Amino acid sequence: MLRGIAIGQHYPVQSLLHSLDPRTKIVATLLYMFAVFLAADYRMLLVLGIYSLLAVNLANLPWRILWAGLRPLRWIICFTLIIHSLITPGGAMLWNWWRIAVYSEGILRGILMSSRLILLILTTSLLTLTTSPIALTDGLERLLSIFKPLGFPAHEVAMMLTIALRFIPTLSEEGEKIFKAQTVRGVEFDRGNLLQRLQSLIPVLVPLFIGALRRAEDLAIAMEARCYRGGQGRGRFRELTFNLRDGVALTLTLGVLALTLIAKTLS
Amino acid sequence: MTLDVHDLSLTLNPDTIFTTQALRKVSFVLVRGEVTAVVGHTGSGKSTLLQVMAGLQVPTEGEVILDGMRLYERETDIPRLRRLTGLSFQYPEHQFFEETVEKELAFGLLRRGESPEEIIRHSSEMMALFGLDSSLMQRSPFELSGGQMRRLGLAITFALKPAYLLLDEPLAGLDPSGKRDVLAAISVYAKQYQAAVVLVSHNMDDIAEVADRLIVLSQGEVLLDGPPYAVFSEESKLATAGLEVPQVFRLIAELRRRGMPLQDGYINSNRQAYHLVRELLLKAKAPGSCDPT
Ligand SMILES: Nc1ncnc2c1ncn2[C@@H]1O[C@H](COP(=O)(O)OP(=O)(O)O)[C@@H](O)[C@H]1O
Ligand SMILES: [Mg+2]
């Protein structure tokens, strides 16, 4: 059991992936996601899979942590596999019952779709696991400031994200505590019909929201007390640097994306 | 009729860099009618221990036996477990959600299927125990003062009348008079309902008053376990756990060192110590009396 570790929470160890510039990791993740959406056949997905295995290998993370990210979505992954197997015709018929038939094409397509999902989840959690929330939002702010001339509030968006990320572990811990406290008072969360189960969540959600509002107010006062006035004229403690390894990582990712594009146009 | 904790160990987040050994081979037996204080530095495992005792956190090793019933087994009778134990988390006032004080108090009792008369009886009994006026019943729990909120938060768990009442930092952030009221309620409850009360605290002065027994945790291990006077005489051991002996007990130790014949267990609480010192001072004033120095 992973107590007090939110899914995708930064896992601070030393590794090549940890040491990359956050901007590199954000851009590479976006490029990779684009490639996953483009990849239409299993050979291409195999290449993408190898690429992400390589990344996982360079990240020095225990499997337990990666599995924790996939676990909550395991039913959606299975569901994708089954639905695609059932609704896609073509190829040899493997199994038939009444009006339901499963074809070989369907199985292949199901595997394709669910592996896409797995790769997407794996890489996005890789990004958050290897990057501290501060570095992540710093990188995001720098990337988004490209749109500043168009009036995009890059700093404000980044600050909101920083705060949201900061409070995910706090609120999940608080939620768990309230959940336990109401269990002791006799709430049975896993009993009764759907309506009763939803009702049993009220004693958890109301205190959780009240707590979140209380924290928000405290935080606002603390920020004002330190003269926070938005992004204008703010210096930064950590400067981001783009190194050789960032160049290599981006080139590699671009290469994979190009390969996918070529495969796509050829087929 | 005891709560046995036997060789409890708990490892959180195994195989990651967040691994913590929260409890190490913790063993003790709680007897009904006694107030036990669990003390220890922040992070020593006090809250975790209470949760394991209340059936909320599966231990890695060891067992909890509640009135002969083993917890964390397939056959464990969960409703019986909930009926026997009550756990009040730190800051119980952060769990309020009902519209009125009355409903907040009734919530747990309703879940248990008590009759309306019983609910009213239990609720008003606990309001009185905590010195909360019955006129507050129809108020919103969020309109109460800080001290009243804490008392209500605790009363909610007391109203369930558990035979094993576990309280996590019930005194945290209370003013002296609030602390006195809560401590009094704890003593009365333990005697009146023959309940085993466990209260967690990191302040030694607070608990010296009410505890019949002290269990000192240090890094998940039981460092000391015994009546307050015995625990307080282990000043150097307590220092290793980052704890300080209450002022009066240091005074007693000093008196004894200077040749004052004081028996073990003669002084067991701040109040007794206070009376002893007062007596000594009065005697010292009288001509021809012995000089304690
Ligand atoms: N949610 C959690 N996730 C990970 N570790 C935890 C969590 N809660 C407590 N711990 C760890 O377990 C140990 C005991 O904590 P706790 O029981 O809360 O101590 P105490 O109540 O005495 O301050 C500490 O080392 C703490 O870091
Ligand atoms: Mg605690």
Side-chain angles (χ1 to χ4, degrees), chain B residues 20-38:
Chain B
T20 340
Q21 176 100 37
L23 298 173
R24 297 166 210 256
K25 300 255 173 223
V26 173
S27 298
F28 53 80
V29 177
L30 291 182
V31 187
R32 291 197 190 184
E34 253 184 23
V35 178
T36 305
V38 174

Side-chain angles (χ1 to χ4, degrees), chain A residues 22-23 26 135-145 154 157-158 161:
Chain A
R23 289 170 294 183
I26 295 169
L136 195 66
T137 45
D138 254 9
L140 211 61
E141 183 175 349
R142 295 294 285 273
L143 287 172
L144 288 174
S145 14
V157 169
L161 273 171

